[in-house]
Amino acid sequence: MEKAIQGLKQVLYVGLVEERGSVEGRRLALQITHSLKEDQKSETVPTKDGNIVAPSPSTYTVEMEFLESKSELVKMLHYAEENNREVDLWEVDLSEKNSAGNYDAKHASGYLSGWEKTAGVDANVSVKTTFTANGKFERGEEEIDDNIVAKITKYVSLKDGEEKDSIPEYIPKKKNEKIAKVDEGKADKNITE
């Protein structure tokens, strides 16, 4: 049976691009919510032979909300937004380790836009901001320290800024390649197309 991933286990780590290799990416504390959005606009061009769709590259954004604190990380994010500094952002899935014993993650660098601070009389101060990626999110994996769930190492590593190859999310099967088939709850059986 499929198991849903809890939003609580999807966390953001951030860092300044200019600090790669000297400052590790850090977990954004007191996160309330974030939303990773892929938006692709396409234009339909009418021709005498019928409509042709001309897709444009996707735009990747992350809308995030967190409680404000006096931490260096919150100060760094506000500095990056005010001064148009490039930020590294990782979305790490802490729900379970993959077969390599690491956590699946996505990384992109980009810029923050907007800094909306809400201070209600009966609530904690919260901040909303939007991250827009340069290009797309690359998939990778991270080695997380189980004691603090905070140490990261892949694609553009949080720890040392080292760039590594992205891990594809899906690799299409080729003809005559063995595929696994699930038989209604029974063990997997390998079959050939």
Side-chain angles (χ1 to χ4, degrees), residues 63-74:
E63 294 177 3
M64 62 186 92
E65 182 177 7
F66 52 92
L67 296 180
E68 187 174 43
S69 68
K70 297 201 181 270
S71 74
E72 287 297 311
L73 186 61
V74 171

Side-chain angles (χ1 to χ4, degrees), residues 9 20 40 108 186:
K9 300 291 186 176
R20 280 183 190 166
Q40 184 181 50
K186 296 180 183 175

Side-chain angles (χ1 to χ4, degrees), residues 54-65:
S56 64
S58 293
T59 300
Y60 296 81
T61 58
V62 177
E63 294 177 3
M64 62 186 92
E65 182 177 7

Side-chain angles (χ1 to χ4, degrees), residues 21-174:
S22 60
V23 177
E24 290 186 16
R26 293 165 281 175
R27 183 175 174 167
L28 179 57
L30 306 176
Q31 295 173 49
I32 297 171
T33 185
H34 77 271
S35 173
L36 193 156
K37 182 179 178 183
E38 298 177 28
D39 187 27
Q40 184 181 50
K41 302 203 184 309
S42 58
E43 185 178 325
T44 303
V45 179
T47 70
K48 293 179 181 179
D49 297 315
N51 290 340
I52 302 295
V53 176
S56 64
S58 293
T59 300
Y60 296 81
T61 58
V62 177
E63 294 177 3
M64 62 186 92
E65 182 177 7
F66 52 92
L67 296 180
E68 187 174 43
S69 68
K70 297 201 181 270
S71 74
E72 287 297 311
L73 186 61
V74 171
K75 291 175 185 176
M76 180 275 290
L77 287 173
H78 195 208
Y79 164 82
E81 190 276 333
E82 283 186 314
N83 295 284
N84 296 316
R85 299 293 193 186
E86 192 172 6
V87 173
D88 279 320
L89 185 135
W90 295 262
E91 181 189 58
V92 183
D93 178 2
L94 299 176
S95 62
E96 65 183 6
K97 292 184 178 183
N98 62 25
S99 60
N102 296 320
Y103 294 98
D104 293 329
K106 297 175 186 172
H107 165 266
S109 61
Y111 294 88
L112 296 174
S113 59
W115 192 265
E116 180 184 340
K117 183 174 167 177
T118 304
V121 70
D122 59 349
N124 293 314
V125 177
S126 66
V127 174
K128 291 181 185 177
T129 188
T130 301
F131 169 86
T132 303
N134 292 324
K136 66 176 189 163
F137 276 84
E138 298 295 340
R139 287 173 173 75
E141 56 186 19
E142 296 296 345
E143 178 184 333
I144 305 289
D145 184 340
D146 288 329
N147 294 325
I148 58 172
V149 190
K151 191 173 81 180
I152 309 280
T153 50
K154 183 62 189 147
Y155 25 83
V156 175
S157 172
L158 286 172
K159 186 167 185 161
D160 59 15
E162 183 179 332
E163 294 187 19
K164 299 181 181 183
D165 291 335
S166 178
I167 298 172
E169 180 176 28
Y170 178 79
I171 300 172
K173 304 290 182 217
K174 296 182 178 149

